[in-house]
């Protein structure tokens, strides 16, 4: 399920800019479209997560199946509206929004089985998703150079696969009942203040990461390197790290791994910053992509496991959703910041801002984890 989801999500996370650029959209306009998609997904996720936690009308299976049908439907409509660029952009934004909304639900399916004693290696599944993302990036890279609309056909096929997987494997009833700790989404802020601070740090850290991913087509024009190759390298190197994570966390606490991996983002972004001002060549961009193994590939599963450990059972879907909500909020900021900054300031100054945000994100993540550890010890 993870692999299938992320194969399709590659279009949303990495190739939307390139797809819209091919139809003549400017980066500032693209940023506004993507920001709207992330914002609408932020509004949809709390309602779906709360409903899935209560399991009265909406189950994980129902939510994922409906979302895949909607995403595929928007993609089909977009294929026939390429002559009307405004409608095409709206449909692509809607497609992105629904795809982003599904992510915490897919994560929750894995932890549903893990929490019931079933031997399921979440980090291995997430690593397999990285391989799928790498393959998707290479495929989309080829299609983007030939027929950009063909990417939508691939996306539709992947949504069909995710629909079938969810239909047969996503839980229809989990047996969870909302206890006194359950309830509304905003209650999480009161019940888990340290975890919320960690999520804020995650938000700040993810903003520059998403700027680099979403606007890589524009950035590589200055830093050097092939966009599709960079995405493929980053996705491929994620696999061994994510595959081994469940074994690594038995020896090193999640909190330590979260701080260490967050710190590597400084080097990853810094290499691209240097490449923007110095004639380093494409190698700097490719090494930056390879560092994905030590930052994103560790941080993502560590954050999911951390959320699963510190949030009570009745709030676990909402806990996973809060992590994704932080990413979506970062998406809104990064799409607007990246699009406007690249259009008005250029690549170099944009990367300077990204490096400063990474530093701030590392500090807030550390503070949130420290506060959470102190509370646990008390």
């Amino acid at each position: 399920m993870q692999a299938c989801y992320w194969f399709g999500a590659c279009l949303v996370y990495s190739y939307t800019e390139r797809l819209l650029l091919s139809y003549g959209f400017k980066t500032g306009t693209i940023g506004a479209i993507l920001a709207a998609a992330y914002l609408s997904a932020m509004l949809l996720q709390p309602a779906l997560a709360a409903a899935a936690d209560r399991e009265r009308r909406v189950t994980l299976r129902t939510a994922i199946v409906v979302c895949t049908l909607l995403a595929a439907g928007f993609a089909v409509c977009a294929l026939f509206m390429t002559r009307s660029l405004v409608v095409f952009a709206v449909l692509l934004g809607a497609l992105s929004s629904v795809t982003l909304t599904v992510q915490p639900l897919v994560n929750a399916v894995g932890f549903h089985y893990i929490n019931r004693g079933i031997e399921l290696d979440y980090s291995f599944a997430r690593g397999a998703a990285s391989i799928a993302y790498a393959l998707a990036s290479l495929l989309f890279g080829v299609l983007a150079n030939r027929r950009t609309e063909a990417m939508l056909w691939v996306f539709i096929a992947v949504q069909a696969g995710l629909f079938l997987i969810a239909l047969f494997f996503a839980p229809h009833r989990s047996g969870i009942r909302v206890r006194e700790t359950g309830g509304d989404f905003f209650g999480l802020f009161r019940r888990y203040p340290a975890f919320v601070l960690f999520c804020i740090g995650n938000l700040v850290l993810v903003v520059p990461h998403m700027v680099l991913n979403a606007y890589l087509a524009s950035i590589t024009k200055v830093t050097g390197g092939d966009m599709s190759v960079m995405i493929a390298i980053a996705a491929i190197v994620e696999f061994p790290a994510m595959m081994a994570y469940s074994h690594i966390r038995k020896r090193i606490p999640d909190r330590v791994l979260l701080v260490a991996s967050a710190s590597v983002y400084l080097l990853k972004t810094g290499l691209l910053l240097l490449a923007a001002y110095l004639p380093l060549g494409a190698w700097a961009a490719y090494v930056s992509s390879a560092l994905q193994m030590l930052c994103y590939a560790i941080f993502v599963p560590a954050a999911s496991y951390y959320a699963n450990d510190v949030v009570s059972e009745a709030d676990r879907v909402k806990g996973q959703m809060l992590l994704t909500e932080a990413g979506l909020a970062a998406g809104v900021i990064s799409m607007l910041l990246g699009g406007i900054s690249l259009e008005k300031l250029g690549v170099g100054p944009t990367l300077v801002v990204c490096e400063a945000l990474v530093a701030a994100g590392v500090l807030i993540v550390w503070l949130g984890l420290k506060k959470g550890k102190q509370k646990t010890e008390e």
Side-chain angles (χ1 to χ4, degrees):
M1 181 177 284
Q2 284 278 354
C4 194
Y5 169 77
W6 283 98
F7 195 103
C10 181
L11 175 66
V12 173
Y13 282 100
S14 297
Y15 279 89
T16 302
E17 181 208 14
R18 193 161 177 179
L19 183 58
L20 290 173
L21 282 174
S22 69
Y23 283 94
F25 288 88
K26 294 183 178 180
T27 55
T29 304
I30 294 171
I33 294 169
L34 290 173
Y38 278 84
L39 183 60
S40 59
M42 282 182 64
L43 299 176
L44 285 170
Q45 279 193 1
L48 275 177
D53 271 330
R54 290 187 178 92
E55 291 198 343
R56 290 173 183 168
R57 291 190 180 90
V58 181
T59 64
L60 286 173
R61 181 189 300 176
T62 303
I64 295 172
V65 164
V66 171
C67 285
T68 56
L69 290 174
L70 284 173
F74 288 135
V76 170
C77 293
L79 282 168
F80 296 98
M81 298 302 295
T82 54
R83 292 185 180 180
S84 178
L85 294 183
V86 174
V87 177
F88 177 77
V90 170
L91 289 169
L92 202 60
L95 174 158
S96 300
S97 176
V98 174
T99 302
L100 293 166
T101 301
V102 173
Q103 184 182 340
L105 303 178
V106 172
N107 288 343
V109 170
F111 284 111
H112 162 86
Y113 292 114
I114 291 172
N115 293 332
R116 278 148 187 78
I118 297 175
E119 293 186 5
L120 188 151
D121 193 330
Y122 170 79
S123 56
F124 182 89
R126 189 60 185 81
S130 297
I131 293 296
Y133 200 96
L135 294 174
S137 68
L138 294 174
L139 176 60
F140 286 146
V142 172
L143 295 176
N145 293 327
R146 297 180 180 178
R147 293 187 61 188
T148 54
E149 68 274 10
M151 287 190 281
L152 292 172
W153 285 111
V154 175
F155 179 84
I156 293 167
V158 173
Q159 294 307 299
L162 184 58
F163 171 86
L164 292 173
I165 294 172
L167 200 61
F168 288 102
F169 293 102
H172 186 58
R173 285 283 181 268
S174 71
I176 294 176
R177 293 293 180 265
V178 179
R179 300 189 298 271
E180 65 276 7
T181 54
D184 64 290
F185 165 67
F186 291 103
L188 292 173
F189 290 76
R190 181 180 64 257
R191 294 190 291 274
Y192 313 102
F195 178 63
V196 170
L197 182 59
F198 166 76
C199 288
I200 292 172
N202 183 36
L203 184 156
V204 177
L205 191 67
V206 169
V207 167
H209 175 72
M210 297 190 75
V211 168
L212 300 184
N213 283 346
Y215 296 101
L216 196 57
S218 299
I219 292 170
T220 51
K221 292 178 181 177
V222 174
T223 62
D226 181 273
M227 172 187 170
S228 297
V229 174
M230 288 179 66
I231 295 172
I233 290 173
I236 289 171
V237 299
E238 287 175 11
F239 179 66
M242 288 185 170
M243 181 178 65
Y245 186 79
S246 59
H247 301 287
I248 296 172
R249 71 186 298 261
K250 294 177 181 177
R251 295 170 176 80
I252 305 174
D254 291 326
R255 287 182 172 87
V256 175
L257 291 169
L258 284 166
V259 174
S261 58
S263 300
V264 178
Y265 277 109
L266 287 167
L267 181 57
K268 185 178 189 297
T269 307
L271 275 173
L272 286 178
L273 176 59
L274 289 175
Y277 287 102
L278 299 174
L280 299 181
W283 70 267
Y286 296 140
V287 171
S288 175
S289 296
L291 286 173
Q292 190 93 335
M293 174 188 287
L294 301 177
C295 53
Y296 181 86
I298 298 296
F299 193 89
V300 168
S304 292
Y305 276 110
Y306 178 68
N308 190 61
D309 290 340
V310 301
V311 176
S312 67
E313 186 178 19
D315 289 321
R316 273 175 181 154
V317 176
K318 290 191 288 293
Q320 292 295 326
M321 177 275 304
L322 186 59
L323 271 179
T324 311
E325 283 283 287
L328 292 174
V332 175
I333 298 169
S334 62
M335 296 308 109
L336 293 174
L337 174 66
I340 295 172
S341 181
L342 287 168
E343 190 172 316
K344 302 295 182 182
L345 301 178
V347 172
T350 299
L351 291 173
V352 171
V353 173
C354 287
E355 184 74 345
L357 286 172
V358 170
V362 173
L363 177 61
I364 300 172
V365 163
W366 176 76
L367 289 173
L369 293 171
K370 182 180 180 182
K371 183 177 179 182
K373 184 178 181 180
Q374 289 174 340
K375 185 176 180 180
T376 302
E377 290 174 347
E378 291 173 0

